[in-house]
Amino acid sequence: MNGYSTSRAFLEALHEGGVRYVFANLGSDHPGLVEAYARARADGTLGELPELVICPHESVAMSAAHGYAQVTGVPQAVVVHVECGTQNIGGMLHNAAKGRVGVLLYAGASPFTQEGELPGSRNEFIQWIQDVHDQRGIVRGYTKYDNEIRTGHNVKQLVHRALQLARSEPAGPVYLVGPREVMESPAPEQHADPAFYGAIAPSALAPEVVERIGDALAGARNPVAVTSYLGRDPEAVPALVELCETLALPVLESVPMHVNFPGDHPLHWGYQWNEQRDNPLLAAADVVLVLGSDVPWIPVKNRPSRDARLFVVDVDPLKEQMPLWHVAAECFARADLRTAVGQLTAYVRDRVDADVVADRMARAAAEHHRQVRAQVERERPDGDVITPEYLVACVREAIDENTIVLTEAITSYPVVSEHLRRSRPGSLIGSGGGSLGWSAGAAIGVKLAAPERTVVSLIGDGSYLFGVPSSAQWVARRYGTPSLTVIFDNRGWKAPKMSTLGVHPDGVAAQRSDFPVGFEPEADLPGIAEAAGGAWGRTVRVADELKGVLAEALDVVRAGRSAVVSVHVPPA
């Protein structure tokens, strides 16, 4: 069969399915893949396979695929080494699952023969050590689909099915494993038409659901929409703007990881995170429409009135992978958000009272402008001390709307949302999950997906270290994906401190300021990137240096070299 193997068919299927990049951390289970790429280079068919991107750490590979898919909507592939490599992507797999991002993860498996019975039989000691009872079980709580490649005769069918599931809403990661003997074995040349493995078509609201929600919105006095990830689909954002302008419907963004509604729009009513206070705007609403949100509010901190009518529209309205979750809504509807919002706009357009809408628009705009004025007042340094608000304001002034900003600032998440105030759909993204370190690899994937755009990451010092910056910066240098990383360097983990204060506000830790969260002695964070990836690095400690350093760093990035700026903010 002229060297045509299961490995070759597997790689061809990825390419046919729209996978442009395989982000790989190779091991002893991948000789078939290595040989397939070598043969393709030798016979001039490399264009029939995805491009191989070598990543010295698995988490960088996984988050790079994640970032690429967030920009393009097209799942990419990650290749890791048996169960060890699978476990090493655990946190980033969580992010892809919770962020509903399609990624195809492939791992080899220890050979199942040990006496040389088949090509690929065991010949290294680790292949006994790495043989586990249920390798696929490691990821089953986070993947939409898992399977084992048992023969080259149907490998393309398995790959295309996996990609179909990965991209169908709610999107998410999928997992395939392939024992070495199978991946080394000859396979019949085959063709699988990806046109027959398309994602599920967008679903719409049933007519009676449109009528029920539409009538409630049209008749409301103080309605509000709450969203967290409607902006996963950038085209859903202008659709939501149209609905909101039709009704004068204000929008609250709750723990947003995307631009869900333009930050400069007069109907934008701000952001909710972990603030230990009520949100009076939410509490005063008589109708609340939740459009794509896992945590629309935190019940012990803020919630709608018990008399408010609640409606949930989502691709995942019941959060089937969350054991404990409930919103006291009278209607839960599964639908594509862009489609559903368009249906509601068409229904309410001729059912609204123009005077009521005009009055509500004036009140909403006044609230929006009040919030912005208050935010602007905080955008100043405290003497020489750089506040997070001032840092974000300086970044906002230094970049343009075309820049893609990655946010992984954790305790400064609210500051990034409020003071960056992004308005272009797709220009701000977060991981969608809770495992730190996503931005380091995601910046690589985002830049590969949008090479013409500037990429800037706003992250905490803890997030930076979790991201394996030595590996990520090396990959960025090798594959020409420069980006700017701006670190909120508070020399510690502020999040555990805030969590402790939230539970024990008057405890001994609070009274004695006894929080084991400091990063002393201070690490040279930019120095890691300089050493590993040839990046340009600076540490900024005083406010009057900040704007100049940011401008210089952006010039460096636009010239083709990554830059890392560590900015001292008040300590954790």
Side-chain angles (χ1 to χ4, degrees), residues 45-71:
T45 60
L46 198 58
E48 298 175 9
L49 310 182
E51 182 178 342
L52 191 65
V53 177
I54 301 301
C55 300
H57 196 282
E58 294 89 346
S59 69
V60 174
M62 188 71 185
S63 55
H66 184 161
Y68 187 98
Q70 284 179 293
V71 173

Side-chain angles (χ1 to χ4, degrees), residues 204-534:
L205 295 173
E208 61 270 21
V209 175
V210 174
E211 180 178 350
R212 185 175 181 181
I213 299 175
D215 285 345
L217 290 170
R221 293 183 58 206
N222 295 307
V224 67
V226 180
T227 182
S228 300
Y229 53 77
L230 174 139
R232 288 175 59 239
D233 173 8
E235 294 184 29
V237 178
L240 180 58
V241 170
E242 184 179 6
L243 173 65
C244 291
E245 290 179 345
T246 301
L247 288 163
L249 174 67
V251 175
L252 285 170
E253 294 192 69
S254 183
V255 293
M257 294 288 171
H258 305 269
V259 175
N260 300 296
F261 196 76
D264 59 0
H265 196 286
L267 286 169
H268 195 290
W269 262 8
Y271 309 88
Q272 295 185 157
W273 291 86
N274 284 338
E275 296 88 350
Q276 304 291 316
R277 61 179 183 271
D278 290 333
N279 187 329
L281 303 173
L282 181 63
D286 58 346
V287 173
V288 181
L289 175 61
V290 180
L291 292 167
S293 179
D294 290 332
V295 187
W297 46 82
I298 299 176
V300 298
K301 297 177 182 177
N302 57 51
R303 66 191 308 161
S305 162
R306 296 189 184 279
D307 296 327
R309 300 181 66 187
L310 311 184
F311 302 88
V312 173
V313 179
D314 205 323
V315 295
D316 182 18
L318 295 182
K319 315 302 170 191
E320 295 170 19
Q321 297 303 311
M322 294 184 187
L324 177 63
W325 187 91
H326 180 64
V327 168
E330 64 181 79
C331 178
F332 297 87
R334 188 187 304 275
D336 170 74
L337 293 174
R338 185 190 348 157
T339 302
V341 167
Q343 290 178 280
L344 291 171
T345 302
Y347 182 84
V348 302
R349 185 173 287 119
D350 298 325
R351 291 175 169 82
V352 294
D353 185 311
D355 292 335
V356 170
V357 168
D359 176 68
R360 193 158 59 221
M361 179 67 80
R363 289 188 286 115
E367 172 60 25
H368 170 79
H369 294 311
R370 183 198 66 77
Q371 291 185 16
V372 172
R373 286 193 301 271
Q375 291 161 7
V376 170
E377 283 296 310
R378 297 193 294 272
E379 293 176 353
R380 59 187 66 180
D382 183 7
D384 285 337
V385 176
I386 301 168
T387 64
E389 293 83 357
Y390 180 66
L391 170 54
V392 176
C394 289
V395 172
R396 184 187 70 229
E397 293 171 5
I399 63 176
D400 58 26
E401 274 294 297
N402 197 46
T403 300
I404 301 178
V405 179
L406 281 59
T407 176
E408 197 176 19
I410 313 306
T411 53
S412 289
Y413 269 143
V415 175
V416 172
S417 293
E418 291 173 358
H419 297 272
L420 207 60
R421 294 193 288 274
R422 301 298 276 173
S423 292
R424 176 175 173 175
S427 67
L428 177 70
I429 55 176
S431 72
S435 188
L436 304 188
W438 158 85
S439 59
I444 296 166
V446 168
K447 187 66 176 177
L448 288 171
E452 75 288 355
R453 298 176 70 175
T454 302
V455 179
V456 175
S457 297
L458 301 181
I459 68 175
D461 48 351
S463 300
Y464 179 75
L465 292 170
F466 270 110
V468 196
S470 55
S471 175
Q473 291 291 333
W474 179 87
V475 175
R477 184 181 191 180
R478 173 165 174 164
Y479 295 98
T481 59
S483 67
L484 169 60
T485 301
V486 179
I487 304 170
F488 293 71
D489 188 358
N490 60 11
R491 283 83 68 208
W493 282 319
K494 189 176 180 181
K497 176 180 177 179
M498 301 307 294
S499 296
T500 302
L501 289 171
V503 178
H504 301 285
D506 302 313
V508 175
Q511 293 172 16
R512 298 173 62 89
S513 191
D514 185 3
F515 300 98
V517 297
F519 290 168
E520 299 292 348
E522 180 184 349
D524 181 3
L525 302 180
I528 299 170
E530 292 178 87

Side-chain angles (χ1 to χ4, degrees), residues 20-199:
R20 183 173 178 182
Y21 296 102
V22 170
F23 299 94
N25 188 282
L26 298 171
S28 62
D29 45 331
H30 300 135
L33 299 180
V34 173
E35 181 69 9
Y37 273 110
R39 284 180 176 270
R41 276 188 290 271
D43 62 23
T45 60
L46 198 58
E48 298 175 9
L49 310 182
E51 182 178 342
L52 191 65
V53 177
I54 301 301
C55 300
H57 196 282
E58 294 89 346
S59 69
V60 174
M62 188 71 185
S63 55
H66 184 161
Y68 187 98
Q70 284 179 293
V71 173
T72 65
V74 181
Q76 300 299 288
V78 174
V79 168
V80 299
H81 182 44
V82 292
E83 95 315 345
C84 293
T86 298
Q87 292 181 94
N88 237 12
I89 55 89
M92 300 306 107
L93 177 63
H94 156 96
N95 287 339
K98 302 307 177 183
R100 298 173 181 83
V101 177
V103 177
L104 187 147
L105 174 61
Y106 167 82
S110 286
F112 53 77
T113 59
Q114 64 179 7
E115 304 289 348
E117 299 94 331
L118 294 169
S121 186
R122 294 184 186 185
N123 62 355
E124 300 178 40
F125 77 90
I126 57 170
Q127 291 157 353
W128 280 266
I129 296 170
Q130 293 171 337
D131 190 7
V132 297
H133 289 295
D134 186 10
Q135 182 174 316
R136 289 155 58 190
I138 296 169
V139 302
R140 198 164 290 131
Y142 299 89
T143 56
K144 293 184 66 180
Y145 170 78
D146 66 85
N147 207 344
E148 178 181 332
I149 299 170
R150 296 183 174 92
T151 172
H153 287 71
N154 70 347
V155 62
K156 287 198 173 184
Q157 180 184 22
L158 296 188
V159 170
H160 285 296
R161 172 165 167 75
L163 288 170
Q164 180 182 37
L165 286 160
R167 64 170 66 97
S168 292
E169 292 289 1
V174 294
Y175 184 67
L176 294 175
V177 298
R180 198 162 74 164
E181 295 94 332
V182 174
M183 301 306 288
E184 291 287 341
S185 67
E189 295 195 27
Q190 55 198 278
H191 176 73
D193 190 344
F196 295 114
Y197 292 89

